Amino acid sequence: MDRNLYYVGIAFFGMINGIFNQLALLFALIHVQILAPALLFGSVPLTLMFSSLMVATATIVLGGIPAALYERFVGAKEDSTEASLWIWLAGAGILTIPAIGNFIQVGL
């Protein structure tokens, strides 16, 4: 499979989790409002978008940790292997499971 399709799938899972995972989004929203209230001019919609972006980024990063551990264990020196990209895609997919119900209910 083309490497770009893996990256599109990983970004898709990150986007779905960032938008539709209400628990993680609420957690990020509350902490951004407490820790940086003037960061986005006190605007709740901007803070909500920033929180959604934070959750999506965290999904991609946390989904990549098992793939990085696999590459370290195997000793891959070059670019990512097919197996590590599958692991990364699966990790992001597993983290997106709580948001799948909301995504299917709302749809795109």
Side-chain angles (χ1 to χ4, degrees):
M1 189 159 75
D2 187 24
R3 297 178 67 79
N4 292 334
L5 294 177
Y6 288 112
Y7 298 133
V8 168
I10 292 165
F12 176 75
F13 282 137
M15 176 190 66
I16 295 302
N17 201 29
I19 295 173
F20 293 105
N21 192 343
Q22 294 174 351
L23 185 62
L25 191 59
L26 182 64
F27 178 80
L29 178 67
I30 289 171
H31 283 85
V32 167
Q33 284 182 336
I34 292 172
L35 296 175
L39 177 68
L40 298 167
F41 311 109
S43 172
V44 175
L46 282 177
T47 308
L48 184 62
M49 284 187 233
F50 183 69
S51 300
S52 177
L53 182 63
M54 285 177 43
V55 172
T57 304
T59 301
I60 293 170
V61 169
L62 290 174
I65 290 174
L69 291 174
Y70 170 78
E71 287 181 357
R72 178 72 175 202
F73 179 72
V74 170
K77 301 283 184 203
E78 300 279 327
D79 210 4
S80 296
T81 62
E82 287 267 331
S84 65
L85 288 172
W86 271 112
I87 292 170
W88 193 4
L89 184 66
I94 289 170
L95 289 173
T96 308
I97 289 174
I100 293 294
N102 292 335
F103 173 68
I104 291 172
Q105 184 179 10
V106 173
L108 277 181

